[in-house]
Amino acid sequence: DQQVKQNSPSLSVQEGRISILNCDYTNSMFDYFLWYKKYPAEGPTFLISISSIKDKNEDGRFTVFLNKSAKHLSLHIVPSQPGDSAVYFCAASEGGGADGLTFGKGTHLIIQP
Amino acid sequence: DSGVTQTPKHLITATGQRVTLRCSPRSGDLSVYWYQQSLDQGLQFLIQYYNGEERAKGNILERFSAQQFPDLHSELNLSSLELGDSALYFCASSVYLGVNEQFFGPGTRLTVL
């Protein structure tokens, strides 16, 4: 049973526009959410995170929104740049991550010139 | 570069064999996590060590085991290998127990023939 779901395997966005990546979760015990970015032949790189006590966190071009009632989070990238082309993983944890992170299957973001 | 190193990068072996994957965490990190990424699955948490002690187990098979040594490097041992064990194995580290942001190594690609 997948507790973290990324329903779009891929997403194509034009350079300069906004990229919106979505993630849904089922476990109401999750209290911390993270986004990781992964290039081919590399490990995932931490991008941005949000605690369940917040509904928004911003870091430069990246903003994560959390809707606890809908068990939904999204990552906004504005403006999208060619270097943003990568696989993005949504991850969640409970109890401070002591039991490891639960990952979605990822969304492949392609930025078109 | 996350500061987490993993060796070897690639490993090709036969069914029934045993292999050892090695991970060195970032300097100062006490927690080490192991994840498996197979073709049709997202990253799956296997096991976590903190300062030499096992702290959490995820979807780790009984044929797999791990340990963390006094110098904090960790090894993941996979035995009686099956074709389905072919995957990318990632190690991640974090400073303390229960810190959500984990830093990933580049992974070891295991191919079982």
Side-chain angles (χ1 to χ4, degrees):
Chain A
D1 176 34
Q2 255 201 300
Q3 298 186 67
V4 177
K5 294 177 189 177
Q6 294 177 257
N7 292 319
S8 300
S10 67
L11 176 68
S12 184
V13 174
Q14 210 163 8
E15 183 179 354
R17 296 287 189 96
I18 181 172
S19 295
I20 300 176
L21 296 102
N22 293 304
C23 177
D24 297 296
Y25 62 96
T26 57
N27 185 346
S28 56
M29 298 300 290
F30 287 145
D31 56 12
Y32 204 82
F33 303 88
L34 308 90
W35 285 94
Y36 280 82
K37 175 178 174 180
K38 186 180 179 307
Y39 293 118
E42 293 183 13
T45 302
F46 170 72
L47 204 53
I48 192 169
S49 61
I50 187 166
S51 162
S52 60
I53 61 171
K54 292 185 165 186
D55 53 22
K56 177 182 172 181
N57 189 26
E58 204 168 339
D59 184 2
R61 297 186 298 114
F62 303 92
T63 305
V64 56
F65 295 92
L66 175 62
N67 181 334
K68 285 188 292 293
S69 60
K71 294 195 177 70
H72 177 84
L73 62 154
S74 60
L75 174 69
H76 292 211
I77 306 173
V78 183
S80 299
Q81 299 174 354
D84 297 330
S85 294
V87 178
Y88 288 78
F89 290 98
C90 171
S93 73
E94 54 179 295
D99 289 339
L101 298 173
T102 302
F103 282 85
K105 291 191 178 182
T107 296
H108 185 194
L109 177 64
I110 302 159
I111 305 301
Q112 307 274 12
Chain B
D1 184 354
S2 67
V4 179
T5 60
Q6 289 187 247
T7 56
K9 282 189 81 114
H10 303 278
L11 199 45
I12 301 174
T13 188
T15 53
Q17 295 298 305
R18 173 190 165 97
V19 296
T20 297
L21 312 184
R22 183 189 166 105
C23 167
S24 292
R26 290 187 321 159
S27 176
D29 283 1
L30 300 177
S31 269
V32 170
Y33 306 78
W34 286 96
Y35 291 86
Q36 179 194 57
Q37 184 184 23
S38 50
L39 215 59
D40 57 347
Q41 298 288 329
L43 286 138
Q44 305 249 334
F45 168 65
L46 295 178
I47 196 164
Q48 184 213 0
Y49 279 81
Y50 175 73
N51 206 19
E53 290 191 14
E54 180 187 307
R55 295 306 297 253
K57 265 185 171 177
N59 299 320
I60 188 165
L61 299 171
E62 283 191 17
R63 300 183 285 109
F64 296 1
S65 65
Q67 50 186 327
Q68 185 179 28
F69 295 86
D71 67 352
L72 300 177
H73 92 271
S74 177
E75 292 180 357
L76 179 68
N77 301 296
L78 316 176
S79 61
S80 303
L81 285 167
E82 301 175 359
L83 295 177
D85 297 328
S86 295
L88 265 169
Y89 291 85
F90 289 103
C91 167
S93 71
S94 63
V95 175
Y96 301 117
L97 186 67
V99 169
N100 290 278
E101 285 85 2
Q102 298 173 15
F103 296 86
F104 282 77
T108 292
R109 181 172 290 283
L110 173 66
T111 302
V112 182
L113 301 175

